[in-house]
């Protein structure tokens, strides 16, 4: 798919290079700034994916993100669905943080719904496929077609249902990204370069007719298959390193789905 058909630069155009055939994008961070892109349309549901190869070496403090948000439409009261790759120091793994913000959580009174993983491969050595599937009944996060997390709609108050745009970016999140900010971005190692290709956008744009149907999560058309559930159990049992519902330091009155 041609990148420019569905996406446009959002910020840092001087740190963004599109291949001649528009199939692959390179974005990078240095001490002057990072870079980001945004979908041309907003969506009320959909399947959004890309292959990503992450920056290698010392990457502490960096955040390479692929996510959905409506912050520009609802500043201070937005929804968000995140896949964030949190940089690291050599010898330690990247952390993939998945997150869901609902109706303003994340703005001031932070109510994140984080689930974090250490991946079962080196995400800097090659491209891997990452996807977000946002349906009316659930949000599913995929890595190389393995569903690693399924966040179900249990109530209107705990599920994002307003249209969102798709974003990708690389930026300096030194204050929190790596070991709660203990390791910060070190620009002696700049530039921090991420490569993306095979962009996929499918689903219902905000202005699509009511007849537009969401993309199913499995060949069965509803929910996940037993094989997918087994793969998700494996991912969570073997590679999950944090789950907000199991963090008893938190006030779970703010996350009733737990």
């Amino acid at each position: 798919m041609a990148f420019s058909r569905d996406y446009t630069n959002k910020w840092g155009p001087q740190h963004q290079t599109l291949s001649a055939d528009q199939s692959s994008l390179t974005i990078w961070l240095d001490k002057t700034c990072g870079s980001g892109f945004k979908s041309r349309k907003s969506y009320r549901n959909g399947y959004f994916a890309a292959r990503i190869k992450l920056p290698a070496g010392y990457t502490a403090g960096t955040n390479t993100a692929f996510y959905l948000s409506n912050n520009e439409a609802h500043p201070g009261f937005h929804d968000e669905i995140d896949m964030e790759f949190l940089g690291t120091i050599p010898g330690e793994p990247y952390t993939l943080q998945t997150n869901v913000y609902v109706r303003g959580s994340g703005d001031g009174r932070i109510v994140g719904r984080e689930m974090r993983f250490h991946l079962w491969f080196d995400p800097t050595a090659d491209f891997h496929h990452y996807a977000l599937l946002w349906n009316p009944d659930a949000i599913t996060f995929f890595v190389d077609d393995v569903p690693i997390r399924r966040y179900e709609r249990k109530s209107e108050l705990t599920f994002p249902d307003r249209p969102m745009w798709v974003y990708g970016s690389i930026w300096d999140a030194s204050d929190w990204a790596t070991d709660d900010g203990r390791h910060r971005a070190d620009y002696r190692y700049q530039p921090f370069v991420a490569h993306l290709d095979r962009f996929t956008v499918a689903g219902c744009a905000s202005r699509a007719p009511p007849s537009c149907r969401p993309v199913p999560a499995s060949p069965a058309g509803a929910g996940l298959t037993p094989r997918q559930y087994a793969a998700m159990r494996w991912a969570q049992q073997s590679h999950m390193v944090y789950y907000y519902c199991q963090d008893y330091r938190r006030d779970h009155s703010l996350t009733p789905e737990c």
Side-chain angles (χ1 to χ4, degrees):
M1 184 205 83
F3 173 85
S4 298
R5 188 189 76 183
D6 290 314
Y7 291 102
T8 186
N9 174 263
K10 173 62 181 168
W11 57 283
Q14 72 276 26
H15 286 182
Q16 195 171 117
T17 301
L18 187 61
S19 65
D21 63 0
Q22 295 199 9
S23 66
S24 61
L25 182 74
T26 301
I27 56 176
W28 64 94
L29 165 71
D30 65 21
K31 64 182 178 182
T32 63
C33 74
S35 187
F37 58 90
K38 177 186 178 182
S39 62
R40 295 182 181 275
K41 298 178 182 177
S42 62
Y43 297 84
R44 62 175 188 260
N45 60 64
Y47 176 85
F48 312 101
R51 290 200 320 163
I52 304 173
K53 183 179 178 183
L54 295 172
Y58 184 102
T59 56
T62 67
N63 183 323
T64 305
F66 186 69
Y67 63 105
L68 309 179
S69 178
N70 52 30
N71 185 50
E72 291 180 84
H74 306 284
F77 193 64
H78 82 289
D79 309 294
E80 195 165 303
I81 303 169
D82 295 329
M83 294 183 89
E84 297 178 293
F85 302 90
L86 309 181
T88 188
I89 58 174
E92 296 296 325
Y94 258 87
T95 297
L96 167 56
Q97 174 167 281
T98 65
N99 207 349
V100 179
Y101 291 123
V102 182
R103 290 174 180 79
S105 61
D107 305 292
R109 189 184 187 192
I110 296 175
V111 186
R113 292 168 165 86
E114 301 91 345
M115 184 182 283
R116 302 183 192 122
F117 298 83
H118 288 162
L119 298 169
W120 51 95
F121 51 81
D122 179 356
T124 73
D126 204 350
F127 285 88
H128 289 269
H129 192 259
Y130 304 95
L132 298 166
L133 177 62
W134 172 38
N135 278 343
D137 63 330
I139 298 160
T140 310
F141 300 80
F142 292 90
V143 175
D144 288 338
D145 295 328
V146 174
I148 60 169
R149 178 183 183 183
R150 184 170 171 83
Y151 179 85
E152 296 184 351
R153 183 190 188 105
K154 295 186 177 178
S155 78
E156 183 180 339
L157 295 176
T158 62
F159 199 83
D161 57 11
R162 298 177 298 178
M164 289 190 270
W165 286 260
V166 195
Y167 294 84
S169 61
I170 186 168
W171 57 289
D172 186 334
S174 288
D175 289 346
W176 62 271
T178 307
D179 201 8
D180 292 325
R182 191 159 68 92
H183 300 289
R184 304 179 65 84
D186 186 339
Y187 289 103
R188 291 177 299 175
Y189 300 99
Q190 69 178 21
F192 305 102
V193 183
H195 304 276
L196 302 93
D197 68 8
R198 296 191 187 175
F199 297 92
T200 302
V201 173
C204 300
S206 304
R207 297 182 180 180
S211 58
C212 181
R213 305 306 305 157
V215 177
S218 74
L224 300 177
T225 65
R227 183 176 180 180
Q228 286 176 309
Y229 274 116
M232 186 166 66
R233 282 194 300 273
W234 167 81
Q236 293 182 4
Q237 290 170 2
S238 302
H239 300 284
M240 185 179 75
V241 295
Y242 177 84
Y243 177 38
Y244 72 106
C245 282
Q246 295 173 356
D247 186 345
Y248 299 106
R249 299 167 297 177
R250 296 180 56 154
D251 177 2
H252 288 297
S253 67
L254 302 175
T255 53
E257 69 277 6
C258 292

